[in-house]
Amino acid sequence: GLASDRSINPLGTGDAGAEIAGTVTYPTVENGSLVDGQALEGVEVEASSDDTTATATTDGSGNFTIAGLPAGDYDVEATVTDSVENVSTADALRAVRGFAGIDPFAGSFQEQVADVNGNGTVNATDALVIAQFVLGNVDGFDTGAFVTESESVTVEGGSEASIGLFAAEAGDVRLNGGESESSSATLASSTISPQTGAGAAVTQASNSSSNAGAESGKVFEVPVRIDRSAEIGAYQMALEFSPEKASFEGIKGAGQDVLTNAADGTVKVSWFDQSGKSSLDLRDGSDLVTLRFKAADDVESTTFAPEVVSGEIVGADAAPLSAGVEIQAVEIGTPTPDEFALNGNYPNPVRGQATIDMDLPSRTDVTIEVYNVLGQRVQTMERTMSAGAGQTVKIDGSEFASGQYFYRVKANFQGETTQETGRITVVK
């Protein structure tokens, strides 16, 4: 028989078994260091040696206990089966800043999370794969869905070891997936609606509306404008549109490496500073990106207005910005204006920003100069603007003293410069 003071080890050892206990958490970064974040429930933890393997599952507090182990050396590792849900283009930017040494990784674990190719190092390729994953252009990462720590520990009979393990989604380089605010939060957006009829830009100025038109069967542009001045390091958006009205044709220009993916009435747009050093410095009302669509051949007069359903804008440091976007709606079936026309400005009088409305027969560079009553130029603005009726641009009068001001709008069409003038009253 067994002595009464001896316990029976569940794994068959003769002495009281050892115990390995600990927690599994999704880490966060604070002041450049990794700290415990959200406890992970339902994670399997395995302790293995040359001749023994035992497992336990974490509880609601992320705790686990593997008891009754024979003395020896063990490798302890967590296995997480959840899918990747919290990765964003901002994580691609964070990967770039990490491998470039601009914003060093907070320890080797964060670097492992960024190494989605699993080749032992982080580079621009990892960042690009992360951005393509966000768009849905790639299905997953070579490292799998989750990155987990492993730790080796030696235990003696009757002793206890305590281990804390990290686990995080592959590609979530900012390590914010354990936070309540995820990167999938909807980006605040508003739509600039098209109008019809003479003088509509003035009579409906209180609705911040404007005209924009496109012909059936023709390619047209939809500007997406930022609603505040900001230095941007990365952005992503998913926009839903009506595929029966128009098809997505791509983006305008090649000034920045914008990535896209369009299918089934949704277009995903993603951009990040691939050097970590060349952020976008945009002013309020500047185009964040301009989307190109082709109107259906048989569509008659209808409004086309893509809607932002998710997105995020972050600064050069990959931290979220409280910026939103405005989208220019387009009236399909409305012909492009035959000639340039200045439709006036609103509101007038103005305390802050004023919107200047004009018709443009083709895409062109527009220069706006503002003068005081002494003829002194007090503001100059240059913009590249799309063709269409009711194209708008904002000027900032918040720094002007009360009084009368005159503005001159100059545009170049086929080598010839056209200009018209208007007047603004500023009141404080």
Side-chain angles (χ1 to χ4, degrees):
L2 296 173
S4 61
D5 61 346
R6 306 276 290 183
S7 62
I8 299 176
N9 189 290
L11 295 178
T13 61
D15 296 319
E19 180 176 293
I20 298 176
T23 59
V24 181
T25 53
Y26 201 123
T28 57
V29 180
E30 291 183 5
N31 300 320
S33 299
L34 290 176
V35 299
D36 288 349
Q38 179 179 332
L40 294 178
E41 181 181 5
V43 175
E44 183 179 275
V45 181
E46 179 182 276
S48 60
S49 64
D50 290 339
D51 54 8
T52 301
T53 298
T55 62
T57 302
T58 59
D59 61 18
S61 299
N63 298 321
F64 69 90
T65 300
I66 304 176
L69 295 171
D73 298 328
Y74 289 87
D75 291 325
V76 185
E77 186 171 5
T79 300
V80 186
T81 58
D82 290 345
S83 60
V84 176
E85 297 178 350
N86 294 288
V87 173
S88 74
T89 305
D91 293 302
L93 174 63
R94 181 64 184 86
V96 167
R97 294 177 62 83
F99 87 80
I102 300 169
D103 188 7
F105 295 120
S108 61
F109 183 76
Q110 188 178 25
E111 187 170 1
Q112 293 174 44
V113 172
D115 179 21
V116 294
N117 287 332
N119 62 0
T121 186
V122 179
N123 53 34
T125 301
D126 292 292
L128 187 59
V129 170
I130 291 171
Q132 294 284 16
F133 172 81
V134 172
L135 291 175
N137 291 332
V138 297
D139 295 331
F141 304 127
D142 293 343
T143 53
F146 261 73
V147 177
T148 56
E149 274 189 323
S150 62
E151 188 167 332
S152 298
V153 63
T154 300
V155 291
E156 302 294 337
S159 69
E160 178 180 331
S162 180
I163 293 178
L165 299 176
F166 286 149
E169 294 167 84
D172 181 19
V173 191
R174 293 182 298 171
L175 295 176
N176 69 342
E179 297 296 315
S180 58
E181 180 182 355
S182 77
S183 59
S184 61
T186 301
L187 178 68
S189 64
S190 59
T191 301
I192 304 175
S193 302
Q195 304 173 44
T196 58
V202 176
T203 59
Q204 299 187 30
S206 60
N207 294 326
S208 299
S209 301
S210 63
N211 293 310
E215 296 183 58
S216 301
K218 300 293 185 180
V219 174
F220 61 93
E221 297 175 353
V222 176
V224 180
R225 297 165 179 155
I226 190 167
D227 66 1
R228 53 160 285 191
S229 298
E231 186 178 354
I232 298 172
Y235 64 81
Q236 68 184 68
M237 288 178 289
L239 304 96
E240 291 183 348
F241 63 95
S242 303
E244 67 276 7
K245 296 180 180 180
S247 59
F248 179 66
E249 296 292 306
I251 60 168
K252 179 191 74 175
Q256 53 187 16
D257 298 322
V258 181
L259 307 173
T260 62
N261 182 20
D264 302 325
T266 298
V267 55
K268 296 180 180 180
V269 184
S270 174
W271 174 86
F272 68 98
D273 172 14
Q274 297 189 28
S275 70
K277 301 177 182 179
S278 305
S279 56
L280 295 176
D281 190 5
L282 299 182
R283 290 177 291 178
D284 183 6
S286 297
D287 288 355
L288 187 67
V289 66
T290 299
L291 310 176
R292 299 176 70 248
F293 293 88
K294 183 178 181 181
D297 292 331
D298 57 351
V299 67
E300 297 182 357
S301 182
T302 184
T303 300
F304 181 81
E307 179 184 0
V308 175
V309 293
S310 67
E312 180 184 41
I313 298 178
V314 302
D317 59 354
L321 294 176
S322 58
V325 295
E326 298 175 336
I327 301 176
Q328 175 69 69
V330 174
E331 190 71 22
I332 298 178
T334 302
T336 302
D338 294 329
E339 58 184 24
F340 171 76
L342 183 61
N343 300 324
N345 50 278
Y346 58 89
N348 198 16
V350 65
R351 294 180 182 272
Q353 289 191 336
T355 299
I356 298 176
D357 185 288
M358 65 194 78
D359 296 342
L360 300 174
S362 64
R363 174 179 170 80
T364 186
D365 294 328
V366 174
T367 300
I368 300 173
E369 298 171 325
V370 183
Y371 297 85
N372 60 22
V373 292
L374 299 178
Q376 298 169 319
R377 186 170 57 190
V378 295
Q379 189 176 106
T380 300
M381 179 183 300
E382 295 181 354
R383 292 283 173 83
T384 299
M385 301 183 65
S386 304
Q391 297 299 298
T392 62
V393 63
K394 296 179 180 179
I395 61 173
D396 187 4
S398 60
E399 300 299 323
F400 297 165
S402 297
Q404 295 291 318
Y405 293 83
F406 301 88
Y407 63 88
R408 178 169 58 193
V409 179
K410 295 189 294 185
N412 188 286
F413 301 103
Q414 298 180 343
E416 295 186 4
T417 300
T418 301
Q419 64 181 33
E420 289 195 29
T421 60
R423 179 163 54 181
I424 296 176
T425 302
V426 176
V427 295
K428 295 298 178 73

